Amino acid sequence: MQLILQNITHRYGGSTVLDDISLTVDDGEIVCIVGPSGCGKSTLLRIAGGLEKPGGGKALLSGPTPEGSLNPLTYIFQDFALLPWRTVEGNVSLVLEDHGIARSERTGIIADVLARTNLSDFAKALPRQLSGGMKQRVAIARALAVKPAIMLMDEPLSALDSQTRELLMDDLVALWTRERFSACYVTHNLNEAVRLGRRIIVLSRRPGRIRDIVEIDMPLAERVERLPELESLQRRVWEIMREEAREADREITDVA
Amino acid sequence: MSHDATAGDRPHTDTAGTQQTGMRDVPFRGGGFVHRPLGPVAPIVFLVILAIWELGSRSGFISPIALPAPSAAFAALVDLFQTGMLWKHLGASLYRLLLGWSLGSLLGIAVGLAVGLFSLARAGLLPLVSALFPVPKIALLPLFIIWFGIGEGSKVATILFGTFFPTVIATYAGVDNVDRNLIRMGQSFGLSWLSIVRKIIVPGAMPAILSGFRISASIAIVLLVAAEMIGAEFGVGAYILMAGALFALDQLIAGVALLSLLGLCIAWAIGKLEKRLLAWRM
C-alpha cells in the first residue's frame, strides 16, 4: 500500500505552517522527514494519518489494504502514549478489543508481538515500572499487533537518551529487515534519518516547504558498518538545513 | 553583578581571623523541608489532650457546666449503646447519608461527564452549576420539605444536592485534564467513541473524581446534621440538638465524637478505594 500526499497546505490561525507539500511513501520504504523545529513536521504526520484535516491538498492511499491489517495507518508517538493504568499486555490488548477478535486469538496475538519485541517477561508490568526505551518497545509491540501497512512515527526516539536510542535503532533495523514495513519517520535527529531513511525529505522552516530530497541507496542492515559514509551524508543534509535551522531558532513562535 | 562588586571589595577582611587552608569537610547545607512519617505521634497527641482535659475536669479547674469530662461523655456514649438508641440514631443517619451521597455522586458523575464531553452540555449546564454551587443547600431545606415532604425525602434531597455540585465540578475538571495525546492515540488506532470514553477518559478522570468524593463526603456529613437538626426524630443531628436543648453537654460531646468517627471512617474507606482504583499511580 502507498501513502500519497498531494499539495498539502495547512495554516493555523493566520500563519501558514505547510506549503504545497507532495510526497509518496512506497511499499516497504522508510521515508524520513527532517526539518528545523516548528516547521510543521508533526502536523504533516497528523494529516497523513487522518488525525487532522489539511487546509488544502489531499492525503491519499493507493493499492489494496494488506490482508489482516486491522489499522493500516498506525502511529508511534514520541511520548509513547501508553495508558498508565493498564499493564503491558493490557495496553496491547486495548487496540485489539474493538475489532471483535475472540479472546483466545487476542491473547495469541499479544503473546506473539511481545515475543517479537522481546517483552514477554514484562507482560504484567505497568508502564511506570518501565524505562523509556522499554515503553517505546511496548508502543512498537502495540503497533505491530494491528498489522499496520504504514507506520507513522512521530519522533519515536526523541524522548530517549542516546544509548537507548542506539539500541532501539538497532531493533528497528532488525524489525524492518524481517517485516519490510513502510514508514513515514519524522525526526529532528539527522543521525536517525541517515540510519533509517531510504529517502530523506528536508523541510524548510515555517512555512514548511520541501527544501531538498536526499536518496540513500545503502541497504539498512549494512549502514551500521559504514558509518563514515553516513557521516558525510549526514553532513550534507545538515548543510542543506543549517541556515533554515538558524533562522527558525531566531523566530518568535505564536503557534504551538 | 552587585554581588560580585560587594564581595570583591573586601574579600578577606571578614574571615581573615578564621581563615582555614587545610583539608576540611564541605559544609553541609542540604536537608530539611522533607516530612518523615511519624506513626504514633497522632494517637499520642490525641491521648495527651484527653488526659489533660480529664485531669482539668477532675481537679475542678474546668467546670462541668462549661465542659464535661471525657469520661462523662464516654459514659453517655455507653449509655446510648446500652439503651440501644445508638443504632437507631446512627442507622437513621447512615441511611440518609448513604442514599443522598450515592445518588448525588452518581448524578454528579453523569452530569460531569456530559459537561466534559459535549460542548452543548458544557455551554448549557456549566453556568447553571456555577450559579447553584455556592448556594448553601440548607437554605433550601424549607423548599425541599414542601417538595419532598417532612420525612426522609427532604433530608436525602438536601444531601443529594449538596454532593451533586462538587462532584460535577470534580468530574468535568478530571475529564478536561485527561492527556489529549492518549485520546489521540485511541483515535489513531480506530477505537470507537464509547471505547475511548470508557477505557481512556473515565480511568484518566478517576483521580479527580475520587478527590471530589473526599470533599463531597464531608459536605454530606455537614448537611446531614443540619437537616436532622431542623426536623427529625432520630439521627445523630437530632440527638445532638436534643442534648443541647437539655444542656446535657456530655451527650452533646458524645454526639460530636460520633460524627467525627463517622468522618474518619468515610475518609478511611475513600483511602482504601483510592488504593484499589489508583494502584497504577503509586
Side-chain angles (χ1 to χ4, degrees):
Chain A
M1 200 161 79
Q2 268 187 330
L3 173 69
I4 303 155
L5 300 181
Q6 273 179 358
N7 313 101
I8 299 285
T9 301
H10 196 67
R11 36 176 70 243
Y12 278 124
S15 65
T16 309
V17 255
L18 294 170
D19 188 20
D20 196 30
I21 292 189
S22 301
L23 65 95
T24 305
V25 180
D26 277 325
D27 229 353
E29 181 186 58
I30 300 181
V31 174
C32 289
I33 299 176
V34 299
S37 64
C39 72
K41 308 185 287 277
S42 296
T43 309
L44 186 64
L45 204 66
R46 281 208 290 278
I47 290 171
L51 286 181
E52 203 157 326
K53 279 194 181 137
K58 278 185 182 142
L60 303 166
L61 290 173
S62 122
T65 308
E67 206 179 328
S69 176
L70 300 173
N71 192 45
L73 294 170
T74 298
Y75 282 91
I76 306 270
F77 298 93
Q78 178 177 3
D79 64 352
F80 325 126
L82 300 175
L83 300 186
W85 48 86
R86 286 203 178 210
T87 59
V88 166
E89 56 181 9
N91 265 290
V92 179
S93 169
L94 174 80
V95 300
L96 299 169
E97 284 162 14
D98 272 16
H99 292 284
I101 302 169
R103 181 178 288 271
S104 58
E105 196 182 337
R106 206 161 67 206
T107 39
I109 296 175
I110 295 169
D112 173 51
V113 293
L114 291 186
R116 272 150 72 194
T117 42
N118 296 322
L119 284 168
S120 303
D121 294 341
F122 301 89
K124 305 276 183 219
L126 283 168
R128 69 175 158 84
Q129 299 171 302
L130 301 176
S131 68
M134 286 313 241
K135 282 184 204 165
Q136 196 56 292
R137 284 191 182 91
V138 176
I140 292 170
R142 175 177 65 188
L144 292 176
V146 292
K147 300 199 176 60
I150 298 166
M151 299 248 240
L152 302 169
M153 310 174 95
D154 187 5
E155 308 241 9
L157 307 184
S158 297
L160 307 175
D161 62 76
S162 58
Q163 288 96 349
T164 316
R165 192 180 303 172
E166 207 52 49
L167 289 174
L168 253 110
M169 218 146 29
D170 292 343
D171 282 9
L172 283 177
V173 170
L175 196 67
W176 186 85
T177 313
R178 267 204 322 267
E179 328 227 342
R180 300 281 155 162
F181 59 86
S182 19
C184 190
Y185 190 109
V186 164
T187 181
H188 64 256
N189 183 315
L190 301 184
N191 183 251
E192 286 169 35
V194 295
R195 285 282 297 279
L196 296 170
R198 166 77 181 69
R199 269 184 303 146
I200 299 174
I201 294 174
V202 185
L203 295 188
S204 69
R205 78 196 146 92
R206 181 176 307 160
R209 296 193 184 93
I210 294 184
R211 183 68 211 277
D212 209 340
I213 298 177
V214 178
E215 307 251 352
I216 307 178
D217 275 328
M218 199 189 302
L220 229 53
E222 284 177 27
R223 291 191 190 181
V224 75
E225 317 282 314
R226 294 162 67 178
L227 286 177
E229 283 171 70
L230 289 181
E231 183 74 19
S232 65
L233 263 170
Q234 187 178 331
R235 198 160 309 131
R236 211 178 101 205
V237 177
W238 174 233
E239 287 307 323
I240 300 168
M241 266 182 72
R242 188 188 203 111
E243 274 313 303
E244 300 285 348
R246 192 201 299 281
E247 287 301 318
D249 189 42
R250 298 172 58 84
E251 248 168 34
I252 295 169
T253 42
D254 52 357
V255 183
Chain B
M1 289 308 279
S2 61
H3 284 290
D4 291 349
T6 49
D9 278 347
R10 297 171 296 159
H12 298 302
T13 46
D14 287 349
T15 53
T18 55
Q19 193 88 43
Q20 287 175 295
T21 48
M23 204 181 293
R24 57 199 180 276
D25 285 335
V26 171
F28 179 69
R29 292 170 292 179
F33 302 104
V34 176
H35 285 289
R36 298 170 287 151
L38 296 172
V41 167
I44 288 172
V45 168
F46 185 69
L47 286 177
V48 164
I49 289 175
L50 275 188
I52 293 174
W53 181 3
E54 182 72 40
L55 271 176
S57 293
R58 292 260 167 113
S59 66
F61 182 71
I62 302 174
S63 153
I65 297 169
L67 192 67
S71 55
F74 185 72
L77 211 56
V78 170
D79 185 49
L80 201 60
F81 179 74
Q82 277 167 347
T83 54
M85 290 305 280
L86 179 65
W87 302 120
K88 215 152 196 178
H89 289 302
L90 211 53
S93 287
L94 277 178
Y95 166 77
R96 290 163 192 150
L97 195 65
L98 284 180
L99 195 65
W101 180 79
S102 35
L103 285 179
S105 295
L106 279 180
L107 279 173
I109 289 174
V111 172
L113 279 179
V115 170
L117 292 172
F118 306 109
S119 307
L120 187 64
R122 173 162 307 203
L125 293 177
L126 204 53
L128 208 62
V129 169
S130 309
L132 291 178
F133 184 33
V135 174
K137 304 305 167 293
I138 199 68
L140 300 176
L141 186 64
L143 213 56
F144 291 150
I145 291 177
I146 296 171
W147 292 350
F148 304 108
I150 186 83
E152 295 304 306
S154 57
K155 297 173 190 65
V156 171
T158 311
I159 297 171
L160 189 155
F161 276 90
T163 52
F164 172 77
F165 293 103
T167 311
V168 170
I169 288 175
T171 307
Y172 101 80
V175 170
D176 279 3
N177 269 331
V178 174
D179 189 351
R180 295 290 114 180
N181 256 333
L182 291 181
I183 295 172
R184 199 173 287 150
M185 180 276 293
Q187 291 174 324
S188 82
F189 278 97
L191 264 61
S192 67
W193 183 86
L194 204 65
S195 277
I196 292 179
V197 171
R198 216 157 50 84
K199 296 169 186 171
I200 299 177
I201 292 177
V202 170
M206 200 46 87
I209 294 175
L210 286 179
S211 55
F213 277 4
R214 282 190 188 276
I215 295 169
S216 68
S218 311
I219 292 178
I221 293 180
V222 171
L223 287 176
L224 167 81
V225 174
E228 285 178 342
M229 282 183 162
I230 289 182
E233 196 182 346
F234 297 111
V236 181
Y239 175 75
I240 292 176
L241 186 75
M242 204 155 55
L246 299 172
F247 274 95
L249 294 187
D250 51 345
Q251 292 182 11
L252 189 132
I253 299 285
V256 170
L258 270 182
L259 287 178
S260 166
L261 264 175
L262 189 63
L264 278 177
C265 287
I266 289 175
W268 174 84
I270 293 175
K272 279 275 160 201
L273 198 65
E274 277 182 342
K275 272 229 167 69
R276 245 188 87 85
L277 289 178
L278 306 180
W280 52 271
R281 268 205 323 190
M282 297 303 146

